[in-house]
Amino acid sequence: MPGRVESLDLRVRSRALGRSWGPRHGNTMAQLDSEVKEECLREDLKFYFMNPCEKYRARHQIPWKLGLQILKILMVTTQLVRFGLGNQLVVAFKEDNTVAFKHLFLKDYSGTDEDDYSCSIYTQEDAYESIFFAISQYHRLKNISLATLDYGENEDNRIGLKVCKQHYKRETRLSSNETLNIDSDIEIDCVLLDLPTLSESSQAWKQSAFFRLEFYRLLQVEISFHLKGIDLQTIHSRELPDCYVFQNTIIFDNKAHSGKIKIYFDSKANIEECRALNISGSTQKNTQYVLVFDAFVILICLASLVLCTRSIVLALRLRKRFLDFFLEKYNRRVCDTGRWEFVSGWFVLVIISDLMTIVGSILKMEIKAKTLTNYDLCSILLGTSTLFVWVGVIRYLGYFQAYNVLILTMQASLPKVLRFCACAGMIYLGYTFCGWIVLGPYHEKSAVLHHVE
Amino acid sequence: MPGRVESLDLRVRSRALGRSWGPRHGNTMAQLDSEVKEECLREDLKFYFMNPCEKYRARHQIPWKLGLQILKILMVTTQLVRFGLGNQLVVAFKEDNTVAFKHLFLKDYSGTDEDDYSCSIYTQEDAYESIFFAISQYHRLKNISLATLDYGENEDNRIGLKVCKQHYKRETRLSSNETLNIDSDIEIDCVLLDLPTLSESSQAWKQSAFFRLEFYRLLQVEISFHLKGIDLQTIHSRELPDCYVFQNTIIFDNKAHSGKIKIYFDSKANIEECRALNISGSTQKNTQYVLVFDAFVILICLASLVLCTRSIVLALRLRKRFLDFFLEKYNRRVCDTGRWEFVSGWFVLVIISDLMTIVGSILKMEIKAKTLTNYDLCSILLGTSTLFVWVGVIRYLGYFQAYNVLILTMQASLPKVLRFCACAGMIYLGYTFCGWIVLGPYHEKSAVLHHVE
Amino acid sequence: MPGRVESLDLRVRSRALGRSWGPRHGNTMAQLDSEVKEECLREDLKFYFMNPCEKYRARHQIPWKLGLQILKILMVTTQLVRFGLGNQLVVAFKEDNTVAFKHLFLKDYSGTDEDDYSCSIYTQEDAYESIFFAISQYHRLKNISLATLDYGENEDNRIGLKVCKQHYKRETRLSSNETLNIDSDIEIDCVLLDLPTLSESSQAWKQSAFFRLEFYRLLQVEISFHLKGIDLQTIHSRELPDCYVFQNTIIFDNKAHSGKIKIYFDSKANIEECRALNISGSTQKNTQYVLVFDAFVILICLASLVLCTRSIVLALRLRKRFLDFFLEKYNRRVCDTGRWEFVSGWFVLVIISDLMTIVGSILKMEIKAKTLTNYDLCSILLGTSTLFVWVGVIRYLGYFQAYNVLILTMQASLPKVLRFCACAGMIYLGYTFCGWIVLGPYHEKSAVLHHVE
Amino acid sequence: MPGRVESLDLRVRSRALGRSWGPRHGNTMAQLDSEVKEECLREDLKFYFMNPCEKYRARHQIPWKLGLQILKILMVTTQLVRFGLGNQLVVAFKEDNTVAFKHLFLKDYSGTDEDDYSCSIYTQEDAYESIFFAISQYHRLKNISLATLDYGENEDNRIGLKVCKQHYKRETRLSSNETLNIDSDIEIDCVLLDLPTLSESSQAWKQSAFFRLEFYRLLQVEISFHLKGIDLQTIHSRELPDCYVFQNTIIFDNKAHSGKIKIYFDSKANIEECRALNISGSTQKNTQYVLVFDAFVILICLASLVLCTRSIVLALRLRKRFLDFFLEKYNRRVCDTGRWEFVSGWFVLVIISDLMTIVGSILKMEIKAKTLTNYDLCSILLGTSTLFVWVGVIRYLGYFQAYNVLILTMQASLPKVLRFCACAGMIYLGYTFCGWIVLGPYHEKSAVLHHVE
């Protein structure tokens, strides 16, 4: 089996390179010169298609490139793991804060969200209580919260809660007892409750006309407020802490008018410069070491990039020589497969991966220096480049005979598998649409199916 | 492999068409005429079995039919998705209402149903409390519910709760202390509690003899009432809102007499004309656009239907010509496989799919115009037709050489797979019956198995 | 492929039957007689190995046996399903009762069992409260339970609760403050609380010395009582109701002395004759119809049994004729495979299945007539026989050419699959032992693994 | 198929042994002697490569070794199962204790841990209450706990709770209202609350300055205490009970400063000598029987070890004879595969397994005699050796022809499977890194993914 696949591989390659090694006739001077040239080209081609081990055996050429790639795999993976661990802390901090807010501001919050909303209420009394609970918790925040929080300023630079309610306009005509008069236009009423208002004794604000809700035309109530927080964890790793502004919004959603108000809690966390903060003590900056490491990664990738580009340039030159020779000698053009045989897909992969790592590392350094915050782009670049680097390891496995057979077999069977998937995909798509509409949202079974899944 | 399968395909087809291309002898005039006819038929047959690309290359015939099919896939899928999204809103409204009712009328409802019933009670005290809770919540409904609900009229046109209890008749003989006297006939007692009765102070109704339950012979208590609701969501999409009548029934099921009363909550929602409703404001009807889109889908399907029918008619005519020619020249009848080769199963699929889409779209337009409400039939028609249209895509994949091989291979292996499934099915059926009776309901393990699954 | 497997089958069969159809030489009278005999035997053998369809074509013999088997499949499956549905009601009644008892007698029962016990307590206060709660619920039972329950008599014919506590004997020596003196022998103390005792005002029983538990040497407290219940559901199907005696036991298990008392609730339900019960009304017995149906099943199975036995007897006679002929003509013995070819395994399967159905049906009739109660044996017999009957369907599939190939292929590959399973089983067994001891109970990981699974 | 694989096996073996059985020329005396020697060697080799059944048939040599191995499998498995069941009791006791402690010392503990911590709190009030609850429960321990617990001594030999709080140092400079002054150095404050302190009326300790927490700089509060317990379960199996010291630590972790304090409960259980304990009664030591069993296992393993070592020594001697002969006769060296053919891998496996069992059994005896407690090492040794013994069963299966084929096939395909796994592993590793960083911790999706899994 291996033998057969390998011979197949050789046949493909030889066919691609044309039948240039046929018997030679004639022995004039020009032919002799041509023969020398041909022999030289043959040698170069042979050497070009060797793998590093064979090259070392043939010309004692030390495989710098191979060594560099192995070093790169180690460096890039280390960098990625360090970056990921750092991000994990940040994400955990944000998520923990959101969970803590939900416990503080939502009445009877169970600890887990229902579907996509946090909790739901079913009676008018619960609706009033939930709204007043959130507002009074905001007022008492500093006495109850365990986090280092401070009130933040609204968009209009005032400290306080903004409560907005959205409802259908009431008809101007007198509504008779029997008829429901609804204007399909939507009105928005807002009120700003600042801290002094809330502190007033006897809680006069609860009695205001604003908080007399007419549920039959109410669409939603939105309570929004800003809080300032600080992530002190980074002090342990001797870095400066990040300051956050949390834009919290509690939405009581009655759009469906189905007797169930869904409560959504949304918390957006933005990183801001920490102004009012003094960190003293033995805080040494060890950021330098990280920056040096990143710079080293960039250097290695640059070297790899240069070497691979050089390889491709050399390969293209060799191809030109070969094509010219072939045209001259046999007066025929080499077929396309033969032309592409010269440009190694692996080199292209390595070059793309290197470029991504370099850009990603530069972004990472900027983020570290707190001048940039687009973690998203950086993580996509670094992640994808690491994926490519690891996939590239397969190439080095291909240098071993036994693995090469495996890889060629997989390459040959891939299109068939993809084709099968395309066919199955069509049927699956059709079935999905059909199942969704026939079994799905309309029949009551849907709920059952949903739970089963 | 591909080569073999393809040649197989060709062989099948050529065998089916008979061996009409054999050497010809003789050269009289009649034969010449016959030869011209034969050549013509051969050309037509060749063209008939071409795929659109080849037809375009051969006679520069633009593939209208192919284009139409591709357009149809897009249109039908869009229509289905829009229809499905619309239905999803309706279903969600009904389900949310049911959940809200359960929270309002069932005491200590946990938010999730147990098995197929909503909750269960185990003591006499709980039974009384649950019944009285549901009744008093009905009385206070307008003050607690968040939805826009109104009391609906019963079957006998009165507003109020109907409470029915079902129990075995008591024996007329004096029941001694030791014996349990039960008459296996069932009696039903009902009482209608209208709003004024419920509002009476001191809740005299609770003291009535009706509510003195004798659990040993009680089969079930049923509380039923009608509520009117309105789905205002559709106003957003500038459509008229739907009005609903909810026929709610709470059943306290003691049929098993096992010490556990299961409480079922059943809510049937019927769409009704909205009478007492005034919607004003900028409500424009955008229903027209949807209707125009549906009409366009119908047009396309009609066109596709006509073209496919025409193709089949042409094919049948060609077949007749071929059969006559074959009978005349070789004095033999063409075998069945050869006859069926002319009628493409794909055309039949397209025709069925088109007919279903047309009927479904007409139904959909009627539903939109609020004159019909059988969503079920409509969704089955549209869903199935979309399934067929997507499955039909496989046919177009068959035009590519590589895919054709795959499809033929799958066709060939299908009967073997089905046969294996039949055998396995027999053993599975036997095992199921055996497992159900031996491990299943009788032994206590059943509960364990049920939970494991 | 099919051709090959089939020819294989034929070859096996012909080899098994010997090479009796070789060329014949000589033409004396004896030989002629022998030839007639041989021809006759050949015909009989040919007919014997035919399937029903071929037999019908050959001698117009109507396949009674086949028809009977098909009828039997229908009857046996119907009988099984009816029996299963009946059992399901009985099991559901018992389970519902157990759940109801747990809610009545266990304090703070959550509705679902933890692992194998119902709930667990961690403080001394909870222990006392749980015990007293169970006892007082027993006292108030008639006022709280929804089921038709009555107090049952204990083993010593008294009505009441039996509370037993099991503990290590206390050392007779004076226990110093520092030392824990424990005698490894176990003592059991019991007290019987009958209803009058429990009704006493001021609940004097709670103050008794018995209820002063010394947890450091307490092993378990066991509360046991009997209750009488009745399953009225069967009245609907016009049958007599079953009466039950529930032997309930609540065990507070402190054997581990780990600070966690596990509470087990065990309820054994025994069916008893209903004495103190009068059912009147239109209760007709429709048990007869069921008995008639069962008798019919028995008849069919008897017929099938007789026919199959006859077939086997005929086959054995034919074999004897064949063996004699073979020995006489070729002076050789037929090999074992050839001998076994005559006895069809299917017939043996049918006979076993028939015997089981007959015994099972008789048991079922006895149960119906309330003279027997071993449901277990009956369900195992009926279930297994139904499994065999359904597996037997595969034989009829073997009559079709295409299925026959499949079945022969599966028969041929079975031993290899089993052999592979044996090897894998060895490794799996070794791994299981190793994994259990290395990862399993000893390391703390076990708990994690348990949860992951 | 079987034939082919087997012949392959024979070919491999014959190739490995060289082509020593070629035709012999010449017939001098020396050659005759050589031929006798060769014949003798050939016989020995033939016998050496036989399996036990063949050996028995050839020389009537009873397969002692095989019998011993079968006996060993039984003994070793029994020993492992007994050891595992014993350990399971110990682990269950520790786990039950930990669960009981959590219920006693953690306020509002739900019964299941959240992620890796036991519960979490979100308000300052909850924080104070949880801390005070744990402390007062410690004080009341003897009155509430169901287990036989006693207060243990701290590291500094005092009985009591140690409460430590860890926080950032406060800045010495006056903190203005606007700025947060934090010194990144960490301070640890501890207080020891002994029993008398806690018993004081009016709970003065709650008012101490230590318990005025400043959450903005608090890192964690740690409450630690020692408890003494006893596992009385072992008395049932007539063994001496184990005494335990539980080192409990409750950690209120505020390191993240995210508004959520995670409460960790950590309980380390160490086995100690039971000093203050008197067990009387009919406690007989049945430990002897277990020790005798273990000793018997050791004996069997020693015998198996000796026999296998002897086999290997004999094999090496035979190899030497063969190599010498080969070198002498053909003047060639035998290839490596041929050399290794002589040393059976199974013998090596058996020897390793025997050594592990012997060491493991000795450890087990020491543990039983309460002189050692490293259960870990012992279970790893016994578990691994049992795995090897069971895997060794495959060797005996190889003696049957049908199984041998299977095993050889699996051996041949193993390297290909491993190679494929290596390739897939590379891609998987790359994907893991990429997925972790791109989808993983940074995006909010991570939480969703986590729950889906």
Side-chain angles (χ1 to χ4, degrees), chain B residues 404-423:
Chain B
N404 200 23
V405 171
L406 185 73
I407 291 165
L408 288 174
T409 313
M410 278 159 73
Q411 259 175 14
S413 63
L414 200 65
K416 279 176 199 165
V417 172
L418 288 183
R419 234 175 274 137
F420 178 79
C421 290
C423 273

Side-chain angles (χ1 to χ4, degrees), chain A residues 120-125 127 168 171 173 178-186 215-217 219 254-262 416 418-423 425-427 429-434 436-438 440-444 446-447, chain B residues 77 80-81 83-85 87-88 91 93 95-97 99-100 103-104 142-148 230-233 235-236 238 276-283 373 375-376 379-380 383-384 386-387 390-391 393-394 397 402-403 406-407 410:
Chain A
S120 49
I121 46 177
Y122 300 93
T123 61
Q124 296 182 10
E125 203 187 333
Y168 292 120
E171 277 287 90
R173 281 181 285 156
E178 286 298 299
T179 352
L180 187 69
N181 286 307
I182 279 176
D183 188 331
S184 71
D185 292 329
I186 292 168
F215 290 100
Y216 77 92
R217 61 192 190 96
L219 280 166
N254 192 32
K255 275 187 196 118
H257 284 270
S258 63
K260 170 181 185 173
I261 288 187
K262 294 173 184 171
K416 279 175 199 169
L418 288 183
R419 235 174 273 137
F420 178 79
C421 290
C423 273
M426 284 299 122
I427 296 175
L429 258 177
Y431 176 76
T432 307
F433 279 119
C434 178
W436 174 59
I437 201 74
V438 174
Y442 187 70
H443 294 263
E444 302 264 330
S446 67
Chain B
T77 310
L80 189 83
V81 169
F83 182 63
L85 290 177
N87 281 357
Q88 220 158 17
V91 175
F93 178 75
E95 278 178 3
D96 278 4
N97 260 298
V99 170
H103 275 97
L104 288 184
K142 290 223 170 179
N143 295 326
I144 54 171
S145 168
L146 291 166
T148 316
I230 180 163
D231 182 5
L232 286 172
Q233 268 173 309
I235 297 186
H236 299 296
R238 306 287 179 203
L277 185 78
N278 269 313
I279 305 286
S280 63
S282 55
T283 314
T373 54
Y375 282 92
D376 273 334
S379 60
I380 287 170
T384 318
T386 309
L387 173 59
W390 275 94
V391 167
V393 173
I394 289 176
L397 290 179
Y403 279 98
L406 185 73
I407 291 165
M410 278 159 73

Side-chain angles (χ1 to χ4, degrees), chain D residues 321-335:
Chain D
R321 262 173 72 200
F322 172 69
L323 295 183
D324 292 349
F325 166 80
F326 204 73
L327 198 69
E328 188 183 314
K329 178 136 187 187
Y330 300 95
N331 215 357
R332 264 203 340 202
R333 297 177 59 85
V334 177
C335 64

Side-chain angles (χ1 to χ4, degrees), chain D residues 9 59 84 114 126-127 129 148 155 171 184 197 219 310 326 336 388 396 429 450:
Chain D
D9 179 36
R59 300 198 190 168
E114 308 170 25
D126 281 350
E129 278 177 7
T148 317
E155 288 89 9
E171 276 289 88
S184 71
T197 323
L219 281 167
R310 182 175 146 274
F326 204 73
D336 264 13
F388 286 166
Y396 301 112
L429 258 178
H450 188 71

Side-chain angles (χ1 to χ4, degrees), chain C residues 16-29:
Chain C
L17 297 178
R19 233 154 275 109
S20 61
W21 324 123
R24 285 155 288 159
H25 308 285
N27 48 7
T28 62
M29 206 57 194

Side-chain angles (χ1 to χ4, degrees), chain C residues 48-49 311-312 315 339-351 395 399:
Chain C
Y48 179 72
F49 283 114
S311 289
I312 284 187
R339 286 160 183 272
W340 281 110
E341 191 75 9
F342 279 91
V343 185
S344 171
W346 295 115
F347 285 140
V348 179
L349 192 75
V350 170
I351 288 173
R395 183 208 173 192
Y399 291 157

